[in-house]
Each structure stands twice: as C-alpha cells, then as structure tokens.
Amino acid sequence: MTGVMTPNILGVSAGFHDAGVTIISSFSGDILFAGHSERYSRVKNDATLNREMMQEARSYGPIGKVAWYERPWLKKTRQMYSGEWRKVFKDVSPKQQLFNVGVNQTIKYYGHHLSHAAAGFQTSPYDKAVVVVVDAIGEWDTYSAYLASYDNLGKAQYKRVLTVRYPNSMGLFYSAMTQAAGLKPMEEEYILMGMAAYGQPTWYRDIYNSCVSEDHNQTWKLNFHAGIPDNVLPPIDKESLATSAQLIVERCLTTLMRQLAHKYPDYDDCVFMGGVALNCVANSRIRECWNRLWIMPNPGDCGSSLGAAALSYGRRLNWKGPYLGTNIPGIYPSDEIVSELVENQIVGVAAGRAEFGPRALGTRSLLADPRGADIKDRVNEIKRRQKFRPFAPIILEEHAHEYFDMPAFDSSPYMQFTYNCKYPFEYPAIVHHDKSSRVQTVGRNDHTGVRELLEKWYVLTDCPMLLNTSLNIRGEPMVNTEEDAKRWTEKYGIKVCTSY
C-alpha cells in the first residue's frame, strides 16, 4: 500500500500480445506495481487483461486516472488498410477489456510510440535525450525519434523528429525472418538472435539488396506483414538465414543511430525503446553511437503500460529498478541457494518482487554454477530448450571487466548487452557459440539479496558469477507466486528456494 490517499494512475497495455498494467503514484511518481497478465493466467504472451493481476494492482490504492498505451481508432484505420478485417470488427474495445476486470472509468488514450518513448525517457537518468522507438508496428508508426527534455516546471516534453510508417518495418522484417526459420513470429525472435551465431553470412548481401532500399533505414522494398515471399530467399539453411537477418537489423539500426547522432550533436544520450530494443546483440553495436544509452528493462508493448501512465503523470518517474511485480515476502534466501548450488549445481529462486520485463534478474531465476562442462546442456534439458540456446552470466559488477571485454566502470544491470568472454573454456555454461555473453552486472546499490548471494558464492568458490536464466519451461511464463514455485519443484525436480 502507498500510505497516501491520492488516487493512483493505472497504465494499461492489452489486446495485442503480452498484456500488462502499471500503477504509478500521482503524488510521488513512484512506480508502485507493474505486472504481466501471462504470469497470472499462465498463458504465454497472454493479450487479455487478468482479473487477479488487476486486483493486485488495485491493492496499492484507489485508481484516479486510466491511461491506455495506444489510440485504438487510429489503429483500426491501419488494420483496414492492411486488410485485417477480423480485428477491425471483432477486437474487444479498451473500455470493455477494462470493464471485464472490474475497472469502469474514463480512459485517456496516448500514441503507441509516444508511450514507448515515455516509458524509456521518464525512467532514464537523463535530463534530455534522443529517444528512438523501433518495433513491428504501432498504430501506423514503425520507427520514430523524439527530442525529449524537461521544461522549467519539470514536465516531460517530446518533439517528434522522425516518423516511418507501415508497411516499412524493421520489426516486421525480423519477425518474418523468424517465421521463415521455423520459429514462432512475435514470440521467438530472441531464439533467432541466438541462432545467428551458428550461421554464415554467405547470402547476407543478396537478402539485404532484395529487402532494404538504398536509404538503409527508412523504407523497405517489401511488406513483411504476411511473411517473406518465397522468391526472395535463396536456398539457405536456417542458421545462415538467422545470421543474415541479424546482420541486416544491426546495419540498419546502426545507420539510423549514426544519422540521428550526427543530426542532433547537442544530444549526447539516447533512449532506445520498442520490441527491437530487446535485441541485445544489436544494442551492443549501437551503444557506440552515443555517450550513454538507456533501455528500460521492459521496452516492448507490455512496458508501454508504464509509458502511458508516465505520460499521464507528466514528469520524471522515481525509477528504483525493475522489481515491480508480485511479491513473495520475506528475506532473500542467499544461504539456502548457495548450499543447493554446492550440492547440486542447479537451483531455482522465487523470492521478493518479480521482475517487470521478459528477463529474469535474480528473483525469478534458475541459477547454476557456470564452470561445469555439462551445465549448459543440463539446464537446457530442464527448460526443454534447443541445445544451441545460450545462457547469461550474472556477475559482481566490480569483477565484470576481469572476465569480459567491457570497460572497468561499465555496467549492464538489465542483461541488455553482449560482451566477449575472456575465459570461454573455463566458464562454458555462460558463453555462446561466438564466445559472447549477455552480461548482467550487480552493483553494490543494486538488489541487496542478489548482491549478497553473489558475494557469498564468490567467497566460497572464488567465482564472482553464476549462470542465470528465467525460471520457466520453454513456452511457459515465468514462475510468479510461491505456489507456482512449489509446483515447479514438484514437476521438474529442481529445488526452488523462496523467501523465508
């Protein structure tokens, strides 16, 4: 509970995929709660608002304003243009979706890309920034850029300086390539990213020339909404297809970022949002274009529930980290986790507040000793994943540069960038095929329980890191509650330590 009677702001994202809500205090700008519907319904990428989730959100106090993450009638015009008639006539209205979960209040609608932008900028540490949004599609927009700042009264200001619209879409291209590789579009793009390390760029230039126009980043030669036409792809294995798709996205994003950095030299910092911002390999390339780069840990559509609420609030939010979801109260079980790691090498943890975003960051995680030669295969078997899939290291921040090619004072607290591992043969469980790792650093001011765990593990083993992956099975949402954790232990035979 907030302890303040001022009504809260409810931000909502729903109806497409990965529905979620955010509660912001209209008094302090604190983010009180943020959650995903799928964690409650147990339906992966659930697009429907969940009544249990809404009850939890309302437990933080009365709701005064309701902010929706896009403009539904504008979206319908694009759906009519693209021939999505079922969606035009059968999609449930935002008002009805909210009424179904017990909310019957006036709704304020904000633009899809503007909601993305606000979720990033108003949680960032920057006073001004270029905000770049790239996704599959909003209402009509697929790329956009804003000059963002705060005025003398502390109100967030956004000046749009770039707009690219459907059907030109980098996100739709990558989703279409995901489908062409035999994966599920709008869900398994992250698998395509991992697969890219195993292929060869033999056909990269041919695919690029077939798909991308000469201006590199603003128009595409094809509409990828219905997938990749058969006559576009050469006879290519799926791994090399993934390599080509990844390289094309990296090239287009880097070109876009360099153009913006050159055009607006008074802006040193960048905020990057939208579903494409989940591509941590591409993020590592574009990071070099800016002095600093901020990506809110939930840059996709679910995170725009936070963005819509941020727009309603209007000012900088009090960002304290991504641990905003369901709470399993008590003390983080660091001693129990270490004991289980020593005995069995693999352990789950569900303690404290769940992460808001698609990546487990230590409170709904499956952890393992990164040094064992067979650990990677064992964890992939537990999670029912393809054997080529990589895992991330979670490491004490002050030691990260000793083990990875990253600057001594750099940090990556939300697992958003990749770095080459200096000792890939000593830590095979957290190194991908290309010797890279998606690093999560934990500093002294980050989550105290996770920090304490790593410190105790380091003292015991002289190893400052663990393997960290989400506590779920492929195709299922992450564990959310203590009851979920108990079921997980019973079903899969791996102990899950919870708060005590």
Side-chain angles (χ1 to χ4, degrees):
M1 301 294 288
T2 67
V4 176
M5 293 309 296
T6 305
N8 296 321
I9 301 167
L10 168 67
V12 186
S13 170
F16 181 43
H17 67 98
D18 196 16
V21 299
T22 297
I23 294 288
I24 290 175
S25 167
S26 59
F27 175 75
S28 64
D30 288 334
I31 306 168
L32 304 177
F33 171 82
H36 299 247
S37 280
E38 67 169 22
R39 311 275 176 90
Y40 299 82
S41 68
R42 312 308 300 163
V43 176
K44 186 68 175 174
N45 286 326
D46 193 349
T48 306
L49 290 175
N50 181 276
R51 182 173 287 272
E52 184 182 353
M53 175 180 66
M54 191 62 71
Q55 287 174 345
E56 185 170 349
R58 298 183 83 159
S59 72
Y60 287 84
I63 295 170
K65 295 180 180 179
V66 178
W68 191 266
Y69 80 120
E70 65 182 3
R71 300 182 186 276
W73 288 106
L74 182 60
K75 183 176 181 177
K76 284 189 180 295
T77 65
R78 192 264 305 159
Q79 290 171 336
M80 287 187 282
Y81 175 84
S82 59
E84 299 174 90
W85 296 105
R86 186 196 64 79
K87 293 182 178 179
V88 172
F89 293 111
K90 292 188 178 181
D91 277 359
V92 180
S93 70
K95 185 175 180 62
Q96 185 62 52
Q97 291 183 64
L98 285 164
F99 183 79
N100 290 343
V101 292
V103 178
N104 187 20
Q105 292 171 248
T106 302
I107 305 170
K108 173 72 173 180
Y109 300 98
Y110 295 94
H112 185 106
H113 272 215
L114 186 60
S115 293
H116 275 310
F121 180 63
Q122 288 171 238
T123 58
S124 80
Y126 311 146
D127 293 326
K128 68 174 187 176
V130 175
V131 183
V132 181
V133 178
V134 183
D135 62 5
I137 191 168
E139 295 95 350
W140 280 89
D141 301 333
T142 59
Y143 305 19
S144 60
Y146 303 81
L147 302 182
S149 61
Y150 295 99
D151 65 17
N152 293 335
L153 298 176
K155 296 283 289 183
Q157 306 291 316
Y158 297 92
K159 178 183 178 183
R160 185 182 286 233
V161 293
L162 172 68
T163 302
V164 177
R165 294 188 170 182
Y166 179 86
N168 301 302
S169 173
M170 190 186 309
L172 286 178
F173 164 77
Y174 204 75
S175 289
M177 294 294 270
T178 298
Q179 184 177 40
L183 300 169
K184 189 174 181 179
M186 305 303 294
E187 183 172 322
E188 294 187 327
E189 283 77 3
Y190 66 99
I191 300 179
L192 188 78
M193 180 182 68
M195 189 187 294
Y198 290 84
Q200 298 296 324
T202 310
W203 294 96
Y204 153 70
R205 189 165 297 279
D206 295 80
I207 297 173
Y208 180 90
N209 290 336
S210 297
C211 295
V212 186
S213 65
E214 291 183 358
D215 62 2
H216 304 300
N217 58 60
Q218 295 188 24
T219 57
W220 295 71
K221 292 181 178 180
L222 301 168
N223 182 349
F224 301 105
H225 205 167
I228 300 283
D230 293 336
N231 62 347
V232 169
L233 295 180
I236 186 173
D237 60 276
K238 62 182 180 180
E239 291 82 9
S240 295
L241 182 70
T243 304
S244 298
Q246 181 64 32
L247 288 174
I248 288 169
V249 165
E250 289 175 22
R251 177 174 173 178
C252 291
L253 272 180
T254 302
T255 301
L256 172 64
M257 293 294 184
R258 285 174 177 166
Q259 288 175 346
L260 290 167
H262 177 75
K263 190 172 183 179
Y264 303 104
D266 293 338
Y267 290 77
D268 296 329
D269 301 322
C270 178
V271 173
F272 184 34
M273 294 293 289
V276 177
L278 288 167
N279 192 312
C280 59
V281 178
N283 293 344
S284 302
R285 308 291 181 265
I286 65 172
R287 199 178 194 188
E288 301 171 359
C289 301
W290 303 94
N291 178 45
R292 294 183 296 178
L293 178 65
W294 170 263
I295 304 169
M296 195 271 282
N298 199 359
D301 280 2
C302 186
S304 287
S305 64
L306 191 157
L311 288 167
S312 180
Y313 180 67
R315 295 175 173 81
R316 189 194 302 273
L317 298 175
N318 188 10
W319 173 260
K320 296 179 181 178
Y323 305 99
L324 299 166
T326 294
N327 187 34
I328 299 177
I331 300 172
Y332 192 87
S334 55
D335 288 332
E336 185 182 7
I337 294 169
V338 170
S339 296
E340 190 68 19
L341 284 168
V342 170
E343 184 173 352
N344 295 312
Q345 295 185 294
I346 302 172
V347 62
V349 56
R353 299 195 67 173
E355 302 90 341
F356 183 51
R359 289 167 183 153
L361 301 171
T363 65
R364 300 295 186 275
S365 290
L366 188 63
L367 303 170
D369 187 335
R371 299 169 296 177
D374 66 336
I375 290 293
K376 183 177 179 179
D377 287 346
R378 285 174 60 190
V379 176
N380 267 326
E381 184 177 349
I382 291 167
K383 287 173 65 72
R384 312 293 195 266
R385 304 191 334 168
Q386 303 97 329
K387 286 191 175 182
F388 72 83
R389 300 273 299 279
F391 292 110
I394 179 171
I395 186 169
L396 292 169
E397 182 181 88
E398 63 270 26
H399 292 282
H401 69 285
E402 300 170 16
Y403 294 84
F404 302 96
D405 287 328
M406 57 189 299
F409 299 102
D410 204 359
S411 64
S412 178
Y414 307 132
M415 210 184 288
Q416 294 167 324
F417 306 99
T418 60
Y419 302 90
N420 286 336
C421 182
K422 294 180 179 180
Y423 310 105
F425 298 107
E426 295 180 33
Y427 304 96
I430 51 84
V431 177
H432 198 25
H433 184 71
D434 59 1
K435 305 300 187 290
S436 71
S437 297
R438 188 179 64 192
V439 178
Q440 178 193 352
T441 59
V442 182
R444 290 182 173 88
N445 296 321
D446 294 330
H447 192 290
T448 55
V450 179
R451 173 76 191 190
E452 183 181 71
L453 165 65
L454 290 172
E455 288 175 343
K456 290 178 178 179
W457 176 251
Y458 179 50
V459 168
L460 184 67
T461 66
D462 202 35
C463 175
M465 76 178 96
L466 289 167
L467 177 155
N468 179 24
T469 186
S470 55
L471 188 59
N472 70 323
I473 301 301
R474 184 189 176 191
E476 295 182 0
M478 276 193 277
V479 162
N480 193 43
T481 65
E482 190 169 6
E483 290 71 27
D484 293 339
K486 290 177 180 177
R487 286 193 295 268
W488 210 90
T489 296
E490 292 169 0
K491 187 172 183 179
Y492 301 111
I494 299 295
K495 184 174 182 178
V496 179
C497 302
T498 60
S499 304
Y500 66 92

